[in-house]
């Protein structure tokens, strides 16, 4: 079984391996068969094998059928509308089932909206996380952002055009006006656009635009906390102790989190008693 990345916008990004697999595979599982037909038409190739629709609404019923074909020795290629299958797209259940059945799974790597947006953002790339789409409801979205408030890695999100402004507003409120970010729109396409700046600047931009296309938002991680004095963190240690954690373990956990000396913090806790 092969997971094959497809172009995220520019058909010229299709790899020779992708073209060969689509032309020769016994079965092509496609998130949207119409998008697949447009792709192969643009590539000027023909899919010789059987095409099976495989998307989030039929994964539960189609996965077992597809795995049976793989068990029978057939070459199965999984493609989504754009990018790498299973990354915010169908494919995870298929991989999970194949692994459980002891079947071989490989990939034809290629275009990725996540990595392209990250690379173009101008934000740190050494450590990052992918958060996909935030919840649509404002309360749930605020809760998710609260969980990410102290995330120090660069964060990559996807968002729909009509929800971009409320998303940036919620981030502005939670992360602060000066947190650096980038809105990446229509990556690799004719009207590709990357807007970089603070969340305040990006929100002001979004308020005046009729944003269209596929969007990735990249947000810088939280700045490191200043270590402060050991005495400032006694309450945090006592809070852990009240939860049943031993003194030395509580001191070690807090000292690592706030970057102060364990010995000095331990002494400060004892002095406060």
């Amino acid at each position: 079984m092969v997971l094959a990345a497809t172009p995220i916008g520019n058909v010229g990004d299709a790899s020779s391996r992708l073209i060969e697999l689509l032309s020769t595979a016994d079965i092509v599982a496609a998130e949207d068969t119409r998008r697949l037909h447009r792709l192969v038409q643009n590539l000027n190739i023909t899919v010789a094998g059987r095409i099976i629709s495989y998307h989030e609404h039929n994964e539960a019923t189609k996965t077992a059928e597809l795995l049976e074909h793989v068990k029978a020795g057939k070459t199965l290629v999984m493609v989504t509308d754009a990018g790498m299958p299973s990354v915010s797209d169908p494919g995870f259940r298929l991989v999970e089932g194949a692994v459980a059945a002891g079947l071989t799974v490989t990939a034809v790597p290629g275009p990725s909206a996540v990595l392209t947006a990250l690379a173009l953002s101008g934000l740190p790339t050494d450590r990052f996380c992918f958060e996909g789409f935030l919840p649509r409801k404002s309360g749930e979205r605020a809760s998710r952002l609260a969980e990410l408030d102290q995330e120090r890695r660069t964060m990559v999100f996807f968002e729909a055009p009509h929800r971009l402004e409320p998303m940036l507003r919620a981030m502005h409120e939670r992360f602060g006006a000066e947190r650096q970010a980038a809105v990446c729109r229509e990556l690799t396409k004719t009207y590709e656009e990357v807007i970089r700046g603070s969340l305040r600047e990006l929100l002001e931009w979004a308020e005046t635009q009729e944003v269209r296309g596929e969007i990735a938002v990249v947000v810088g991680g939280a700045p490191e906390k200043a270590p402060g004095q050991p005495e400032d963190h006694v309450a945090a240690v006592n809070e852990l102790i009240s939860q049943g954690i031993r003194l030395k373990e509580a001191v070690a956990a807090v000292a690592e989190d706030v970057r102060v000396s364990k010995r000095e913090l331990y002494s400060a806790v004892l002095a406060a008693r």
Side-chain angles (χ1 to χ4, degrees):
M1 186 178 82
V2 185
L3 302 178
T6 54
I8 60 175
N10 190 322
V11 72
D13 294 333
S15 70
S16 58
R17 290 182 64 200
L18 171 66
I19 293 172
E20 180 182 0
L21 276 168
L22 290 177
S23 303
T24 61
D26 299 307
I27 299 170
V28 178
E31 180 183 8
D32 186 330
T33 57
R34 294 168 300 180
R35 292 282 290 268
L36 173 63
H37 284 301
R38 284 201 295 272
L39 174 62
V40 298
Q41 186 176 31
N42 289 333
L43 294 173
N44 196 28
I45 60 175
T46 301
V47 176
R50 178 184 174 192
I51 297 175
I52 297 179
S53 177
Y54 185 74
H55 46 75
E56 62 177 331
H57 301 298
N58 69 0
E59 279 183 300
T61 57
K62 286 286 186 180
T63 297
E65 175 190 339
L66 292 175
L67 291 178
E68 286 301 318
H69 290 302
V70 179
K71 291 176 183 178
K74 295 184 178 180
T75 300
L76 168 67
V77 177
M78 167 76 204
V79 294
T80 55
D81 292 348
M84 177 61 72
S86 83
V87 180
S88 197
D89 272 328
F92 168 72
R93 288 195 184 199
L94 195 57
V95 174
E96 182 183 43
V99 171
L103 300 172
T104 299
V105 183
T106 188
V108 171
S112 165
V114 177
L115 296 180
T116 304
L118 177 67
L120 293 178
S121 69
L123 295 168
T125 60
D126 53 338
R127 298 178 67 237
F128 71 94
C129 59
F130 174 56
E131 291 294 326
F133 287 90
L134 288 172
R136 297 184 180 186
K137 295 183 179 179
S138 59
E140 295 176 2
R141 181 172 57 230
S143 296
R144 178 73 60 80
L145 291 176
E147 295 173 0
L148 297 170
D149 188 42
Q150 294 305 314
E151 175 59 66
R152 293 180 183 176
R153 296 171 294 179
T154 300
M155 297 169 280
V156 184
F157 302 84
F158 286 163
E159 192 52 279
H162 63 283
R163 291 199 299 269
L164 178 63
E165 182 182 336
M167 174 203 201
L168 292 174
R169 189 177 304 281
M171 288 181 168
H172 179 281
E173 293 173 358
R174 168 53 62 177
F175 297 153
E178 299 309 313
R179 181 78 69 90
Q180 295 298 298
V183 173
C184 305
R185 190 182 72 84
E186 294 289 86
L187 292 173
T188 78
K189 299 179 182 178
T190 302
Y191 298 105
E192 174 180 288
E193 185 177 23
V194 180
I195 303 93
R196 306 173 183 88
S198 66
L199 285 173
R200 172 181 53 79
E201 292 169 331
L202 294 181
L203 177 58
E204 291 173 353
W205 169 82
E207 288 173 337
T208 63
Q209 303 294 316
E210 184 179 352
V211 183
R212 297 181 179 179
E214 297 181 349
I215 294 170
V217 177
V218 187
V219 182
E224 291 190 21
K225 298 177 182 177
Q229 299 300 314
E231 295 79 8
D232 299 334
H233 308 293
V234 170
V237 174
N238 289 332
E239 174 64 24
L240 292 179
I241 292 173
S242 70
Q243 298 173 19
I245 298 175
R246 296 173 60 186
L247 173 58
K248 287 186 177 181
E249 295 173 350
V251 168
V254 173
E256 181 179 1
D257 182 52
V258 299
R259 298 187 297 117
V260 298
S261 164
K262 287 191 290 185
R263 180 179 59 80
E264 293 179 4
L265 180 57
Y266 187 87
S267 297
V269 173
L270 294 182
R273 291 186 169 183

